[in-house]
Structure formats: C-alpha cells, structure tokens
C-alpha cells in the first residue's frame, strides 16, 4: 500500500510540474522614469519569493521568465518599488518608476558646478526642476521663478516677448549692479544688455528701450534644473561676479541607451488685460488700436548614446506677435552637447555649442519719446475715431514726400499737421519710426575631467561666449522736430561682447578615516571680457542730406552727427580654494577663500581677498528625534565678497567728435584727485534650519540673513574751480539688507490614484541706506545730501538714496492739505507741499514689497494633472505716471468724465468744490502733482494655471509618452489697487522702479501645450 501511495505522489508531482511549466512564459519590456521619460539602466527585476531575477540593460530593456500568477518586483535606487502580477495575457510589460524622496540624500549643484549632498550645505539654496519651469512656458525662462523661490523678486519686462527680466536676490545692495550672476553648467554666462530705460521722460536717441538679455535666448526645454544660491556664502567662490547671488542653470545631456526624440509645442494667445480706467470712447479707441498677440514656441530634442559616449541635440524656434501692432519676434536656438568617457573611464569629455538669434521689430518702449501709446491715450474727438488715422500720411506737394497726418490740425504748409515732442500719430510711429533689434549669441565650451586616483580628479574648463546686440531705427521726415530734423534721422548701434573664461581645478573627495570626510577644491581661473561698440546717428542737429534715405553716406558732415566707437577690456585672474569637512555625516564645516586681481582697479588696490566659513549640524543624525522627524539640521555661515568696477572708471578716455570737431569738451568722470579707488565689499551672515517630517511628507526651511555692502563707488559733486570738474568718483556709502525666508512643502494626500503636493514660499527684506557719505573731508568735495537713482529731469518723479531711507524710495510733488486732508488752492491753483523735500520732491513710498508669498500646487489624479501658482506681493507703493500724463493732456480718464466733485479749501479756510475734470486737470501732467497718483503695490494674482492629461498608450504605440495641457499665465488678480500691473518693471537697472510711465499694458495669456516623446 505504501508503495502505491509513493508512486501516486510521484506521478502527481510530475503532472503538477509539467502544468506549471506549461504556464511559464517570457516577459519583456522597458523601464522608464516618470520624471523625464528617460530609460533606466540597472533596474532590478525579481520574481518574488524566488532567486530568479535580472536587470535592465543600458537601453532600460529587460527579459525574464515567469509564470502566470508570479509577482514581478521592480526596484531602483531613489525610486519607489513597483510590483506587477503576471497574467495569461502578459507578454510585454513597460514600467514607469517614480522618484522616492525618502530614499534620496539629495544632491545639489553648487558653486563652480560642485555637487554636494543637500544636508552638508551651510547656506540657503533652492531648486526648480525642468518640469516646473515648463508647465507654463515663458519666452524668458527666468520669469517662471516668480513666487517659486523664497527671497527672489522677479519683475517682468514691459517690453513684451523677448524682453529682459529684473531679478533681485535678498534686496538691492549696491549703487551699481544688483543683478545676479547666471552660471550655465558651471561656467559664468555673459549677460550684457545694450540698453535699459533710465529716464522718466524717455530718450531722444531711439526711445526708452530694453535691449534684451541672454536669458531670453535660452531654450527653456534645454534646462534640466535651476538652483538659486542666494547669499554671499553660497556664491563666494564666484568672486565679485557673484556679489548679488547666483542662479545656476544645469542643461540636459545625452543618456546611454537608444535614441529618444522629444517634441514640444506651445501656443498662447495674449490680450492686454490691465489698463487704467478710461472713459468709454477712449477705451474703444484703445481696444481698436491694441492687437491680440500670440506666442508659439516649438522645440525638438534628440538624446541617446552608448555607455561610453552620449549625444544631446536640440532646436527650438519662437514666433511672437505682440499686442502692440507691428511688434514681431522671431527666434531660433540650437544646442548640441557631447559627453564621452575615455581611457578606461578615467577621462570624461563634455563639449557643447549653443547658438541663438533673435530679431524683434518695434519692441515696445516706455515713457514719452517714440511711444505710440502717447497718441493713443491723448486722442480726443467728437467726430472721428483713432482708427481714422490709421491712414497716417498724406502727400506734401512742396516736398514731394509723404508727411505725417494727425488730428491736432493742419499746418500752414499743405500736407503738414501739428504734433508735439511727445505726441505723434501712433500709426506713424509704428510705420515711420520703425525699430529693429537683432541679438545673436554663441557659447562654445569644453570640459575635461581626468580621474587621477579614487580621491583626486583634475578638471579644466574653457568657454568662448560671444554676443552681438544690434539696434536700428529709421525716423522719417516730418517726425516731430524734437526727435528728428526735417529730412529724418537714422540711428544704428552695434555692440560686440566677447567673454573668454578658463579654469583649472583639483577636486578632492575622500574619507580621511572612518569619522572624517573631505571634499575640497583648489583652483585658478581667468576671465577676459571685451566690448566693441559703434554708434552712428545722424542726430537732431546733424541730419540727413536727402529725406528718408537711411545710409551713412547720406549723413551731413558736421560735428553734430555722431560716429562713436569704443573698445573696452576687463581682465580678472583668480585663485580659490574650498573645503568641506564632514564628521560622521553629522557635522560639516565649509571653508572657502578667493583672491581676485582686477584690471579695473589701480595697481596698488587691484588684489582683494575674501573668505567664507559655514557650519552645519544634522540634528537628525546627532540625536534620536523620533520616528515622525525624518530630517533636521541647523546651519550658519559668514562670508565676504569684493567687487571691482566696470571698465574705463579709473582712466577714462575723452571722446573725439566727428567731422573735425576735435575732442569732446565734456570730460568723463574720473576718480577724486589723490584718492585710491578700492573694491566694493559685502559682508554677509546667515543662519537657518531645515526639517522634514512623516517620511518627508512635510518640510520647512527657515532662514535669517544680514548683509552690509560698504565702500560703494559713485560720483560726488565737486567744485569746478578747485577740482576742474563737476563730479568725481569716490568710495563711500553703506547699504544693509536683512530678512527672513521660509519655504515649506507638504504632501497632504498621496496614494496610488491621487497625489497633492503644495509648496509655500515667504520672504521679507528690510533695506536701509546706512550712509551715503563716510565723512571724508577733502578739498573741493561737496558733501552730498542724497544720491540720485532716477533723476526727475523735467518730470516730478524721482528716486533717491537718502541716509536712513531705503533703496527704491519714490519721490513726487505732493499737494499741500489742511488738517482735514483737503487740498489747498490759491487763486485757482493747487499749492505744493514743500516740507521735507529732496531735490524739490517729497518721499511718498517705496517700490519694494514688505513681504512676498508664493503658493504653488500640483494635483495628479490618475492621468490628469492640475497645477496652479498664486503669487502675492504685500506692501510697497507704485506711481501711475501714465494716469498723471493722461489727465494732464486730455479728459480721457474715466474719473474725469464722471459727475463727481472734489472738495478743496483756500488759504482763508473757505471750502469749495471742483469737478473731477477741473481738479485732475490741475494736478495732472508729467510735471504736475504726481503724489496724487501713488497707489498701494500690494497685489495677489493667479500667476499660472495648467490642466494636463497624460494619454494612456498601447504597447504598440509609436510614442512613449503624450501629454497635452491647457495653460494660462497672469490670468487675474484676486486683489490689486494700482491701475496697472505692479509686477512689471520698465528697466532691469536701478532706475525707474515703482513707476509706470506709459509702459505697454500687461497681458493675460491662455494657450495649449503639447509634449511628445518617441
């Protein structure tokens, strides 16, 4: 019986085994990353409960044998594991893995391209990934930072598509440059601008124009990540260039595996949304004049390679039509990057070339000259519409040319019409004062890294960075004589910027013993920057020989014609060192030192040294904080950074006039006699703490900073009889900034179907002008009471630095009022308040917010994503000089045409009323009582919104991923007091902050975004 039972058991076992074998099958597929869609080599695939397993190859592909009902487990470092049950229909299984923040000791790119673990940082640094930058795509990718990084203040340009952007990190600290340094793949980027608005009236030499910047020439799809280094401790290794902080841009590179193609297309429609309140008739004319704009950005990329060599190539184009008629932009950008490992992976080669060209026709200007909005806003007629003057010219038989036509009435000569210096037919300006900007950039870089030992790597890098910024304006005859003589005017500007950068680094990464680790760098760098500029301008007095012939040969030959060439060069050589010493990965000490030698300083002061020191303690490693605290650390640092000058400050050359005019009688400003210029210096301290809770579902980064910038170098008024000049440069002054930054993230909901991630950024900054004068007693020096940032010229807006005040203070002419707040009038004229004035103006506010708040949210439900950003700025003031100008030269504002009365009081205390039209007619105007046009700059807006869908694709699909999104930007304000968008800046320089002077109205954008990979 036992033999029979044994035999039956053996037979049953054989049958069962054959049955199982019959269900065993071969499963294959590809594993990719959800973050960027790239394939993942080295992913572990295991049949649960067995020793059967395999890994994905360099193309992310795998093959494994398993039976129906088996569970396949996919795991990869830094990713969430995913399980899959084998079904009878399973033959091909493609798997997408998500990042798992709880597994990551996050790596951050820091100064000079050094990679460090985030927990070791002794200063504040905040990251933005490529996906975040491109959810709602901008022509200038830096605009996407607004509200997403604590302590970063972003102001969009009023010059439309392709315009530059003003970025301020932790407040304005210098009388000179306050823009941060941009670094691409570890190499400083040359970011010149040929022109920025600086005058509240405008420039007669082509208008208050924005020459653009290098950031608008970068393809947003080429950016992999962006890191903001906000303090001097973080940027000290970049020397004087990093004085105002650093924005690190890491671009994409090829990955091993089969070649992948990515394509994106973004189309948005823009409408002018934020305009001051006009009466119905005027608003109708404005709506007829302004256009519906559009922006189309297309990009394609190809990436792939072998284990030893990888390639990345991209091309993008941008076509835009602005809301200002005839304003057009065309841009083309290409990027190719090759990476390779040679000599048994000891040598790593990284080479790239990026080229971009941008052409902008009729880029919008601000202020009054050459601005079509002046005529649009000023137009008044009971019988005609503004569009009736789209036929902007008539034939002048006496001159045999077409001449400007305008509603102000005909002149004494046939074919002539009255205009003013600031007001002309807007259609004439667009078609007969045509401007064209052409910006071209080429950046070629080579990075060689040789791994000498396990702990020592030698690296050398070099970059050739070339920028051409050209401008042309053709001004036809009968343009107002303030801007051009009778035969017209021709202006050409050509700027050629070249930056050569090279460095050599020794990188050390080793464990000294079981307790101590060392990451160190020893290096040297050199940077040479040259500027070649040319200006050809027939001028206001020089003119053209023949009307409307725009060539240099047609210039009149006299000294009033401008032919100006300049050649400038700066050189900076540096030695630097950095060391991060770690103790058991619990305590880190960070030390840096750098010495610069600058050609722009006198020999006795051209060398300046600056150090930094920082300490971090990882509290979650030092102490048992409980299971709910995932991570905790505290950090503090101190740094000093020096700054040289721009070229031609120490020994400037006098200019030679064209046409035999000799040397220009106006001498350039020189250093104060007997003084020795020294570098500006910034001293910075910060302390902060970072915490993460509940398996990284919630986190907070809190920091405090204090900076002082001393030895500012600026021009003082001097005695001509003693010094021989009206001004001279001298080191003096001190500006301080202190503030608090808080960044929090939390994931309230996270499951297989739904995830909500929220990030909140808060920052506040207090700026104080501690000194504008150090008290030097020098013969011929006139002690200053203030320093001018924006001169009032013939207007009544100004910005000045006054001791005890703040950078960005706004000054205006204000109305004198009685104790009840009523305006005081005398003989039908409004009386000015001249108490406590600076340069005849009264302080009425400050352009900078008291604090900023950004709330960024991302929702994902299965294949649907929703993202939105609420951006708020609280406090601060802004002036609408647009409203002042409109009410000064017309009755077109809505409040002027309302049946409203304004109470006033005379000198005797008798009250009366003026109609709104009477009152604003008296106080309005660009040189009127601009204090009446001050508004709160507080605003809260829906800055971005995106609704996306990731299409579920079949295994046979040609595409590996398809996502379509409905996107919008600057959609609406939850709250806004000003009649304009206070987030728009007229200039990326220090001037014209907190004021709108006939800037192009801000737009609302709505569109579609499509992303494909295959």
């Amino acid at each position: 019986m036992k033999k029979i039972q044994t035999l039956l058991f053996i037979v049953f076992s054989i049958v069962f085994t054959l049955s199982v074998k019959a269900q065993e099958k071969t499963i294959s597929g590809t594993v990719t990353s959800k973050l960027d869609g790239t394939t993942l080599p080295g992913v572990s695939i295991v049949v649960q409960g067995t020793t059967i397993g395999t890994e994905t190859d360099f193309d992310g592909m795998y093959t494994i044998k398993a039976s129906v009902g088996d569970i396949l487990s996919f795991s990869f470092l830094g990713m969430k594991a995913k399980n899959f049950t084998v079904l009878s229909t399973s033959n091909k299984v493609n798997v997408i893995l998500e990042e798992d923040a709880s597994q990551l000791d996050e790596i951050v790119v820091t100064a000079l391209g050094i990679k460090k673990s985030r927990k070791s940082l002794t200063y504040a640094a905040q990251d933005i990934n490529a996906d975040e930058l491109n959810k709602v795509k901008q022509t200038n990718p830096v605009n996407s930072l607004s509200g997403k990084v604590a302590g970063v203040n972003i102001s969009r340009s009023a010059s439309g598509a392709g315009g530059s952007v003003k970025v301020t990190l932790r407040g304005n600290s210098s009388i000179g440059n306050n823009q941060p340094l941009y670094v691409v793949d570890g190499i400083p980027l040359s970011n010149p601008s040929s022109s920025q608005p600086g005058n509240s009236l405008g420039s007669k030499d082509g208008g208050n124009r924005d020459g653009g910047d290098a950031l608008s020439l970068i393809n947003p799809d080429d950016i992999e990540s962006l890191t903001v280094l906000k303090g001097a401790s973080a940027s000290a290794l970049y020397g004087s260039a990093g004085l105002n902080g650093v924005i690190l841009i890491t671009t994409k590179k090829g990955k091993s595996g089969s070649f992948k193609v990515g394509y994106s297309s973004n189309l948005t429609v823009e409408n002018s949304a934020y305009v001051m309140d006009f009466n119905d008739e005027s608003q109708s004319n404005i709506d007829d004049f302004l256009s519906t704009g559009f922006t189309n950005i297309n990009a394609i990329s190809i990436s792939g390679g072998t284990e030893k060599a990888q390639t990345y190539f991209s091309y993008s184009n941008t076509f835009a039509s602005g809301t200002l008629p005839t304003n057009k932009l065309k841009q083309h950008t290409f990027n190719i990057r090759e990476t390779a490992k040679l000599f048994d992976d000891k040598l790593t080669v990284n080479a790239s070339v990026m080229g971009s060209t941008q052409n902008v026709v009729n880029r919008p200007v601000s202020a009054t000259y050459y601005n079509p909005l002046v005529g649009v806003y000023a137009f008044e007629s009971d019988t005609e519409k503004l569009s009736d003057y789209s036929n902007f010219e008539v034939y002048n038989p006496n001159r045999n040319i077409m001449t400007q036509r305008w509603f102000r009435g005909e002149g004494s000569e046939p074919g002539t019409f009255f205009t003013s210096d600031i007001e002309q037919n807007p259609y004439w300006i667009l078609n007969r004062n045509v401007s064209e900007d052409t910006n071209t950039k080429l950046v070629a870089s080579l990075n060689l890294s040789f791994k000498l030992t396990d702990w020592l790597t030698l690296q050398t890098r070099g970059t050739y960075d070339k920028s051409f910024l050209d401008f042309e304006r053709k001004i036809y005859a009968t343009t107002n004589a303030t801007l051009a003589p009778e035969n017209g005017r021709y202006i050409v500007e050509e700027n050629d910027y070249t930056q050569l950068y090279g460095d050599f680094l020794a990188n050390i990464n080793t464990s000294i013993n079981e307790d101590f680790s060392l990451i160190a760098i020893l290096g040297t760098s050199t940077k040479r920057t040259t500027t070649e500029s040319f200006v050809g301008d027939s001028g206001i007095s020089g003119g053209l020989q023949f009307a409307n012939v725009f060539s240099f040969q047609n210039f009149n030959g006299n000294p009033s014609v401008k032919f100006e060439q300049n050649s400038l060069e700066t050189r900076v050589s540096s030695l630097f060192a950095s060391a991060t010493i770690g103790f058991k990965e619990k305590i880190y000490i960070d030390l840096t030192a750098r010495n610069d030698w600058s050609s722009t300083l006198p020999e006795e002061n051209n060398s300046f040294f600056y150090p930094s020191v920082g300490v971090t303690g990882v509290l979650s490693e030092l102490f048992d904080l409980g299971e709910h605290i995932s991570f905790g650390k505290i950090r503090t640092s101190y740094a000093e950074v020096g700054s040289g000058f721009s070229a031609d400050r120490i020994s400037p050359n006098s200019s030679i006039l064209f046409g035999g005019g000799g040397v220009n009688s106006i001498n350039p400003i020189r250093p104060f006699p007997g003084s020795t210029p020294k570098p500006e210096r910034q001293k910075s301290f910060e302390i902060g703490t970072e915490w993460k809770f509940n398996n990284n579902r919630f986190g907070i980064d809190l920091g405090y900073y204090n900076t002082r910038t001393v030895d500012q170098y600026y021009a003082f008024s001097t005695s001509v009889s003693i010094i021989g000049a009206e001004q001279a440069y001298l080191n003096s002054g001190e500006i301080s900034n202190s503030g608090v930054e808080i960044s929090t993230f939390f994931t309230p909901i996270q499951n297989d179907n739904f995830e909500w991630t929220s990030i909140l950024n808060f920052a506040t900054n207090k700026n104080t002008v501690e000194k504008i004068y150090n008290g030097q007693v020098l013969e011929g020096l006139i002690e200053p009471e203030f320093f001018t940032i924006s001169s009032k010229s013939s207007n009544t807006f100004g910005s000045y630095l006054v001791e005890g005040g703040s950078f960005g203070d706004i000054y205006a002419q204000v109305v004198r009022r009685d104790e009840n707040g009523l305006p005081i009038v005398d003989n039908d004229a409004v009386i000015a308040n001249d108490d406590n004035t600076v340069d005849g103006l009264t302080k009425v506010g400050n352009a900078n917010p008291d604090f900023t708040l950004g709330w960024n949210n991302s929702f994902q439900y299965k294949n649907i994503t929703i993202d939105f950003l609420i951006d708020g700025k609280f406090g601060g003031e802004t002036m609408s000089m647009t409203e002042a100008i409109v009410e000064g030269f017309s009755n077109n504002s809505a409040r002027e045409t309302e049946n409203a009365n304004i109470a006033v009081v005379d000198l005797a205390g008798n009250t009366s009323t003026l109609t709104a039209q009477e009152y604003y007619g008296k106080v309005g105007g660009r040189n009127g009582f601009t204090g009446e046009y001050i508004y709160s700059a507080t605003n809260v807006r829906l800055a971005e919104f995106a609704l996306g869908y990731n299409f579920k694709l079949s295994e046979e699909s040609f595409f590996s991923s398809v996502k379509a999104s409905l996107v919008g930007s600057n959609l609406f304000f939850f709250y806004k007091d000003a009649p304009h968008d206070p987030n728009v800046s007229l200039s990326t320089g220090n001037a014209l902050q907190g004021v709108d002077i006939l800037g192009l109205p801000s737009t609302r954008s709505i569109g579609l975004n499509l992303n494909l990979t295959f």
Side-chain angles (χ1 to χ4, degrees):
M1 187 68 179
K2 287 184 178 179
K3 289 182 179 180
I4 295 173
Q5 288 177 341
T6 303
L7 181 61
L8 290 173
F9 177 76
I10 293 172
V11 170
F12 177 79
S13 298
I14 292 172
V15 171
F16 179 78
T17 302
L18 290 174
S19 175
V20 171
K21 286 289 185 183
Q23 296 182 69
E24 188 176 68
K25 58 200 309 181
T26 299
I27 310 294
S28 64
T30 304
V31 183
T32 57
S33 167
K34 181 180 179 181
L35 179 65
D36 54 13
T38 58
T39 56
L40 295 174
V43 175
S44 174
I45 303 106
V46 176
V47 179
Q48 279 191 5
T50 73
T51 58
I52 301 171
T54 186
E55 287 187 347
T56 55
D57 61 16
F58 292 109
D59 295 326
M61 302 178 68
Y62 73 93
T63 300
I64 191 171
K65 290 186 177 181
S67 301
V68 174
D70 284 346
I71 298 175
L72 300 182
S73 178
F74 296 79
S75 60
F76 188 68
L77 181 63
M79 298 285 185
K80 295 178 181 178
K82 180 171 282 190
N83 296 332
F84 178 83
T85 302
V86 179
L87 304 176
S88 60
T89 56
S90 303
N91 293 308
K92 187 174 183 180
V93 178
N94 294 325
V95 176
I96 299 174
L97 297 183
E98 300 180 33
E99 281 190 337
D100 187 354
S102 64
Q103 295 186 33
L104 296 177
D105 180 11
E106 190 177 351
I107 301 299
V108 180
V109 178
T110 63
L112 298 176
I114 307 164
K115 292 183 178 180
K116 294 183 178 181
S117 63
R118 177 175 288 278
K119 69 180 182 181
S120 71
L121 299 184
T122 62
Y123 46 78
Q126 202 164 341
D127 301 323
I128 299 290
N129 62 35
D131 185 51
E132 187 62 48
L133 287 174
N134 290 314
K135 284 176 181 175
V136 180
K137 194 171 293 183
Q138 306 277 351
T139 54
N140 192 321
V142 177
N143 279 324
S144 298
L145 293 180
S146 183
K148 298 176 183 177
V149 180
V152 178
N153 195 13
I154 305 288
S155 297
R156 305 186 313 280
S157 171
S159 61
S164 53
V165 58
K166 181 176 177 62
V167 181
T168 308
L169 309 183
R170 294 183 169 178
N172 296 282
S173 62
S174 175
I175 289 172
N177 177 35
N178 282 293
Q179 287 275 70
L181 171 68
Y182 295 92
V183 176
V184 178
D185 295 326
I187 304 294
L189 180 73
S190 173
N191 186 30
S193 181
S194 60
S195 176
Q196 281 298 317
N199 188 293
S200 59
L201 187 59
S203 170
K204 296 179 182 179
D205 300 330
N208 250 10
R209 66 185 188 87
D210 171 11
D213 62 13
L215 285 308
S216 64
L217 300 175
I218 293 177
N219 174 11
D221 284 337
D222 283 342
I223 298 175
E224 185 170 77
S225 65
L226 190 150
T227 303
V228 180
L229 306 179
K230 291 175 276 191
S233 298
S235 57
L237 279 181
Y238 283 113
S240 59
L243 180 72
N244 303 309
V246 177
I247 294 180
L248 300 176
I249 297 172
T250 301
T251 63
K252 294 176 181 176
K253 60 182 179 180
K255 292 181 171 63
S256 60
S258 59
F259 278 88
K260 286 191 171 294
V261 178
Y263 172 76
S264 69
S265 183
N266 177 269
L267 176 64
T268 57
V269 177
E270 292 96 25
N271 288 287
S272 298
Y274 310 109
V275 188
M276 64 167 278
D277 291 333
F278 287 88
N279 60 38
D280 293 342
E281 182 182 344
S282 297
Q283 189 62 57
S284 177
N285 285 323
I286 294 167
D287 292 341
D288 288 344
F289 177 78
L290 295 174
S291 303
T292 297
F294 76 86
T295 301
N296 182 210
I297 305 174
N298 302 286
I300 187 169
S301 64
I302 303 172
S303 173
T306 66
E307 183 183 3
K308 297 293 185 182
Q310 303 86 38
T311 298
Y312 177 84
F313 170 80
S314 72
Y315 164 76
S316 69
N317 57 48
T318 302
F319 301 96
S321 179
T323 55
L324 185 72
T326 72
N327 170 224
K328 307 287 184 184
L329 175 142
K330 296 179 182 178
Q331 180 172 312
H332 301 273
T333 302
F334 77 89
N335 183 24
I336 184 167
R337 185 172 180 181
E338 293 285 341
T339 53
K341 290 183 179 295
L342 307 172
F343 305 116
D344 295 327
D345 295 347
K346 289 185 177 295
L347 178 65
T348 301
V349 180
N350 195 327
S352 65
V353 177
M354 187 277 282
S356 186
T357 180
Q358 180 189 87
N359 178 265
V360 183
V361 176
N362 278 344
R363 192 193 296 271
V365 300
S366 61
T368 56
Y369 296 133
Y370 301 101
N371 192 341
L373 294 182
V374 179
V376 175
Y377 293 168
F379 184 83
E380 287 182 289
S381 175
D382 294 330
T383 59
E384 296 177 303
K385 294 184 177 181
L386 176 63
S387 57
D388 294 336
Y389 286 85
S390 59
N391 182 12
F392 53 84
E393 57 188 2
V394 296
Y395 180 67
N396 183 329
N398 293 345
R399 299 191 61 188
N400 194 30
I401 60 172
M402 302 299 289
T403 58
Q404 182 176 182
R405 171 177 174 260
W406 191 222
F407 83 104
R408 294 294 183 186
E410 296 187 28
S412 57
E413 183 180 329
T416 62
F417 291 78
F418 291 110
T419 60
S420 73
D421 58 342
I422 67 171
E423 180 199 304
Q424 302 184 81
N425 185 324
Y427 297 101
W428 171 270
I429 293 175
L430 296 178
N431 294 279
R432 293 294 180 257
N433 289 178
V434 178
S435 71
E436 184 172 3
D437 290 78
T438 303
N439 295 347
T440 305
K441 192 170 189 67
L442 178 69
V443 181
S445 65
L446 177 65
N447 184 335
L448 302 176
S449 178
F450 188 80
K451 193 173 183 63
L452 201 62
T453 69
D454 289 341
W455 57 272
L456 177 61
T457 301
L458 302 180
Q459 184 178 22
T460 184
R461 303 178 295 192
T463 296
Y464 173 82
D465 190 332
K466 189 80 166 179
S467 301
F468 297 98
L469 307 181
D470 300 333
F471 171 76
E472 177 186 69
R473 189 181 284 278
K474 297 176 180 179
I475 306 166
Y476 279 67
T478 70
T479 294
N480 189 270
T482 303
L483 304 177
E486 63 176 359
N487 285 339
R489 183 179 179 186
Y490 185 40
I491 302 172
V492 173
E493 294 183 17
E494 297 175 352
N495 296 277
D496 177 348
Y497 301 91
T498 305
Q499 178 178 285
L500 298 175
Y501 176 88
D503 62 26
F504 179 81
L505 305 135
N507 298 289
I508 299 168
N509 190 338
T510 186
S511 295
I512 301 172
N513 54 40
E514 291 183 357
D515 293 335
F516 290 93
S517 63
L518 174 66
I519 298 176
I521 284 183
L522 299 174
T524 180
S525 68
T526 181
K527 182 173 71 173
R528 177 190 176 209
T529 304
T530 59
T531 302
E532 304 286 340
S533 63
F534 167 78
V535 178
D537 182 1
S538 60
I540 299 171
S541 302
L544 301 172
Q545 299 179 67
F546 304 99
N548 304 334
V549 178
F550 301 105
S551 67
F552 293 146
Q553 299 95 312
N554 193 36
F555 281 23
N556 284 319
N558 62 59
S560 296
V561 167
K562 179 190 289 186
F563 280 111
E564 186 177 279
Q565 287 181 280
N566 282 297
S567 181
L568 303 173
E569 178 182 283
T570 62
R571 292 176 182 264
V572 178
S573 298
S574 308
L575 288 174
F576 48 83
S578 167
T580 301
I581 303 168
F583 174 69
K584 292 185 176 181
E585 297 189 352
K586 299 177 180 180
I587 298 175
Y588 296 90
I589 298 175
D590 198 22
L591 305 169
T592 71
R594 179 170 172 131
N595 200 94
D596 283 352
W597 290 265
S598 174
S599 65
T600 62
L601 289 164
E603 187 173 347
E604 57 268 40
N605 264 349
N606 72 347
S607 171
F608 44 106
F609 172 82
Y610 32 92
S612 79
V613 59
V615 179
T616 284
V618 184
L619 302 179
S620 53
E621 299 287 343
L622 289 167
F623 309 103
D624 183 2
L625 301 177
E627 62 179 6
H628 294 296
I629 299 178
S630 310
F631 176 79
K633 79 174 225 183
I634 188 169
R635 63 176 189 266
T636 185
S637 61
Y638 174 82
E640 293 188 13
V641 180
S643 177
F645 306 146
S646 57
D648 216 24
R649 281 287 186 96
I650 304 301
S651 300
N653 296 314
S654 297
S655 60
I656 301 172
L657 298 176
F658 172 73
V663 177
N664 195 329
S665 60
I666 301 175
N667 288 317
I669 303 174
R670 302 177 186 277
F672 195 92
S675 68
T676 303
K678 55 186 177 181
E680 180 180 302
R681 202 170 191 87
Q682 185 181 102
K683 302 175 182 180
S684 173
F685 166 79
E686 69 174 272
I687 186 170
T689 185
E690 297 174 40
W691 295 87
K692 296 178 182 178
F693 305 92
N694 295 334
N695 200 25
N696 294 346
R697 293 281 295 272
F698 169 71
I700 184 169
D701 186 329
L702 169 65
Y704 166 82
Y705 62 87
N706 185 290
T707 66
R708 287 180 178 268
T709 308
V710 299
D711 292 330
Q712 311 263 351
Y713 191 64
Y714 64 96
F716 280 71
S717 296
T718 54
S719 169
V720 176
S721 61
I722 298 175
I723 303 300
E726 293 182 350
Q727 288 184 307
Y729 285 118
L730 192 66
N731 286 107
S732 197
E734 179 180 331
I735 296 175
S736 69
N737 285 277
S738 62
V740 174
E741 297 166 348
I742 303 174
S743 180
T744 67
F745 71 88
F746 47 98
T747 308
I749 302 173
Q750 187 179 53
N751 55 49
D752 291 340
N753 291 324
F754 184 73
E755 182 173 332
W756 172 23
T757 301
S758 186
I759 299 173
L760 189 67
N761 292 297
F762 167 89
T764 180
N765 180 76
K766 179 174 176 55
N767 177 282
T768 304
V769 180
E770 305 288 350
K771 300 177 185 176
I772 60 166
Y773 173 55
N774 289 354
Q776 304 101 313
V777 179
L778 299 170
E779 187 178 9
L781 177 68
I782 300 174
E783 183 176 336
E785 296 179 4
F786 56 86
F787 176 81
T788 302
I789 298 293
S790 292
S791 172
K792 70 176 183 178
S793 60
S794 58
N795 296 333
T796 48
F797 161 82
S799 183
Y800 307 95
L801 298 185
V802 179
E803 191 167 308
S806 298
F807 213 111
D809 283 344
I810 302 170
Y811 288 78
Q813 182 171 259
V814 301
V815 172
R816 182 175 292 279
R817 297 176 180 273
D818 69 1
E819 62 275 10
N820 297 316
L822 296 180
I824 299 175
V825 297
D826 182 29
N827 292 326
D828 208 32
V830 178
I831 297 177
N833 186 347
D834 54 5
D835 297 336
N836 302 316
T837 61
V838 172
D839 198 20
L841 302 178
T842 302
K843 180 181 172 181
V844 292
N846 186 277
N848 299 301
D850 296 331
F851 66 92
T852 60
L853 198 63
W855 187 29
N856 199 10
N857 289 270
S858 179
F859 300 87
Q860 181 173 346
Y861 176 71
K862 295 184 178 180
N863 290 12
I864 300 172
T865 61
I866 298 176
D867 301 272
F868 68 85
L869 169 67
I870 296 175
D871 190 12
K873 296 180 180 179
F874 300 85
E877 286 76 33
T878 182
M879 176 189 290
S880 178
M881 190 172 279
T882 298
E883 195 174 40
I885 291 171
V886 168
E887 293 185 339
F889 62 37
S890 74
N891 296 315
N892 288 340
S893 74
R895 65 183 181 183
E896 283 184 293
T897 54
E898 293 174 352
N899 294 321
N901 291 322
I902 295 174
V904 297
V905 62
D906 62 17
L907 293 174
N910 300 313
T911 59
S912 60
T913 59
L914 296 174
T915 66
Q917 192 172 108
E918 290 173 330
Y919 180 76
Y920 291 113
K922 295 177 186 297
V923 302
R926 57 184 172 83
N927 57 354
F929 291 89
T930 46
E932 296 293 283
Y933 299 90
I934 293 294
Y935 295 88
S936 169
T938 296
N939 69 95
V940 182
R941 65 188 174 118
L942 181 59
E944 292 182 1
F945 178 83
L947 172 63
Y949 184 80
N950 287 292
F951 288 87
K952 189 173 183 180
L953 306 174
S954 67
E955 295 179 357
E956 294 76 23
S957 174
F958 175 72
F959 299 100
S960 58
S961 68
V962 176
K963 183 176 182 179
S965 303
L966 173 67
V967 298
S969 64
N970 211 30
L971 290 172
F972 61 84
F973 284 89
F974 296 98
Y975 175 83
K976 179 174 71 73
D977 179 51
H980 56 274
D981 185 346
N983 300 297
V984 172
S985 176
L986 301 183
S987 172
T988 62
N990 293 332
L992 302 184
Q993 301 305 310
V995 61
D996 173 49
I997 314 174
L998 299 165
L1000 185 69
S1002 180
T1003 60
R1004 175 189 296 116
S1005 302
I1006 298 174
L1008 295 171
N1009 194 27
L1010 177 66
N1011 291 278
L1012 310 173
T1013 58
F1014 48 91

